[in-house]
Amino acid sequence: MAVGADPPRPGLPVPLKGAGRVKDAPRDQEWLLALLPVFPLVLLVMRLWYASRQDTQTLLLLLQNISPLGLLSSVLLTTVWVLPALILGGRVLGTLYWISTGRSSWLVRTAERLPGWVVGLAVVVGMCAWQLRFLPTLAMLSLAVAGLAVRDRFPHHEGLRGTICYALPVMVAAISYIVFWPAIGAAFAARDLATSLLLTLPPGLAVLLTGPVPRAPARALTHGIAIAMAVFTPFLVGVVVMKAPILPLMALQLSEKETPRVLVGHLVASDDEMSTVLGREGVVSFVQNDRIQSKVLCPDPGEVPRTWVNLHGWNVEQSVVSWLAPAPPAAPVDPRCQGRPTD
């Protein structure tokens, strides 16, 4: 130790020489920036390939007529709820590894480069975009970020550490169980295991994530979870994007010799003479406009609810945004959307 240097503070991890948090060696990571637009483009092409039922000519037709904004909207709506999970998860895992070992790694450097305002914005976006049953998980991650930050920046402030790392998670857990108790009881009564675990486990686990883990398994635990998130997140986003609508669903009643016929499909393009429709089976139909007797925009059928558990009439699969947004007016489904012609 150099003369006059301050000795290491007891109880704190000592950074390794050249691997500390103060200065990291420069790394050539510009190639990562070049890959950022590749993933959305791959998703868009795969979505059109899926919609065209793997037919190359149909794919080219869709690429010629579909607006890129419509395709990007499905990707953006998906990343709205994925990004908060990645930001909060990366911040928690990186800080947890540093607190536990005092060593730097790519995970620690990633966590350090996330500004505080980005983490706060991720929490706000998660509160608005995540489903009700995921809000306890969001609270757990937020409390873990706050507790680990206090341990890292104020190691000798016992009062602050006791308040943020122990008292606050216990208080939030008690409030969460009181607020969500009707939904928890309904989930257990319906034997909905996934919803029951999502509503009960995260509040109780929050107090366990605000402190260090044993030094030996710290790297395997934190980096293993981070690598799993990096591997499985693209597949999860891809599954959601594949099911997202990219074209309006319409029903066209066509004039025939005997009885009218209804064509239900996605409208690809329309001009003064012809309308191009992509059927639900992937078959492209070119319809002359003078044969169209009437047409109607069909409502989005949406996804079938996986659970009927609700909290005061609010389904646990709904988000705050969908709950606060004005509900569409209730109207009977047009028979043409079901393939039945009208008089």
Side-chain angles (χ1 to χ4, degrees):
M1 180 182 300
V3 178
D6 294 333
R9 290 178 291 180
L12 292 179
V14 180
L16 298 178
K17 182 178 180 181
R21 302 176 62 181
V22 178
K23 184 177 180 180
D24 291 321
R27 296 171 178 267
D28 297 329
Q29 297 180 341
E30 291 80 3
W31 61 274
L32 291 175
L33 299 177
L35 290 179
L36 287 179
V38 173
F39 180 63
L41 291 176
V42 172
L43 282 180
L44 299 180
V45 174
M46 292 302 298
R47 178 65 184 93
L48 294 179
W49 180 254
Y50 179 81
S52 63
R53 300 296 191 273
Q54 298 84 47
D55 183 73
T56 305
Q57 297 302 319
T58 305
L59 173 63
L60 296 176
L61 178 67
L62 295 178
L63 288 174
Q64 182 181 2
N65 292 280
I66 292 181
S67 170
L69 294 178
L71 296 173
L72 289 176
S73 62
S74 60
V75 178
L76 293 177
L77 290 176
T78 304
T79 55
V80 162
W81 59 267
V82 171
L83 283 180
L86 295 178
I87 292 174
L88 295 176
R91 184 63 174 264
V92 169
L93 294 174
T95 311
L96 181 62
Y97 179 72
W98 166 254
I99 292 294
S100 303
T101 65
R103 297 178 179 178
S104 182
S105 69
W106 61 268
L107 186 58
V108 175
R109 290 189 292 269
T110 301
E112 290 176 352
R113 290 167 181 168
L114 293 174
W117 65 269
V118 173
V119 178
L121 183 61
V123 174
V124 175
V125 172
M127 291 178 59
C128 298
W130 284 16
Q131 297 178 5
L132 173 64
R133 57 180 177 174
F134 293 128
L135 293 185
T137 304
L138 177 65
M140 177 189 69
L141 293 175
S142 304
L143 292 172
V145 169
L148 293 173
V150 168
R151 285 185 180 274
D152 183 28
R153 299 179 184 179
F154 307 99
H156 298 298
H157 204 305
E158 298 293 337
L160 183 61
R161 186 171 63 181
T163 301
I164 303 300
C165 298
Y166 301 108
L168 183 60
V170 171
M171 182 181 64
V172 172
I175 295 175
S176 176
Y177 287 133
I178 293 174
V179 172
F180 289 99
W181 180 251
I184 294 174
F188 277 104
R191 298 182 180 180
D192 189 345
L193 181 60
T195 303
S196 302
L197 295 179
L198 287 172
L199 294 178
T200 54
L201 287 185
L205 292 177
V207 69
L208 303 178
L209 297 179
T210 57
V213 297
R215 186 185 183 94
R219 184 176 184 86
L221 179 64
T222 57
H223 288 67
I225 296 176
I227 293 174
M229 291 173 56
V231 171
F232 288 105
T233 298
F235 292 98
L236 179 62
V237 174
V239 169
V240 176
V241 171
M242 290 300 167
K243 297 180 179 180
I246 57 174
L247 290 170
L249 180 63
M250 302 192 68
L252 286 70
Q253 182 166 319
L254 309 178
S255 60
E256 299 288 349
K257 294 181 179 179
E258 298 179 356
T259 59
R261 181 174 66 93
V262 176
L263 176 62
V264 181
H266 301 278
L267 184 63
V268 178
S270 180
D271 52 29
D272 296 337
E273 299 181 357
M274 195 82 64
S275 296
T276 306
V277 179
L278 177 65
R280 293 177 174 177
E281 299 80 13
V283 179
V284 177
S285 301
F286 299 94
V287 182
Q288 294 181 354
N289 291 337
D290 55 6
R291 292 181 53 201
I292 300 177
Q293 294 181 347
S294 62
K295 56 184 176 181
V296 61
L297 182 65
C298 298
D300 184 9
E303 294 186 0
V304 178
R306 297 181 179 88
T307 178
W308 297 103
V309 177
N310 66 84
L311 180 64
H312 305 299
W314 182 12
N315 190 279
V316 295
E317 290 186 324
Q318 288 182 307
S319 63
V320 175
V321 172
S322 63
W323 184 57
L324 296 178
V333 179
D334 194 291
R336 288 171 292 181
C337 294
Q338 300 174 348
R340 296 184 284 111
T342 59
D343 295 336

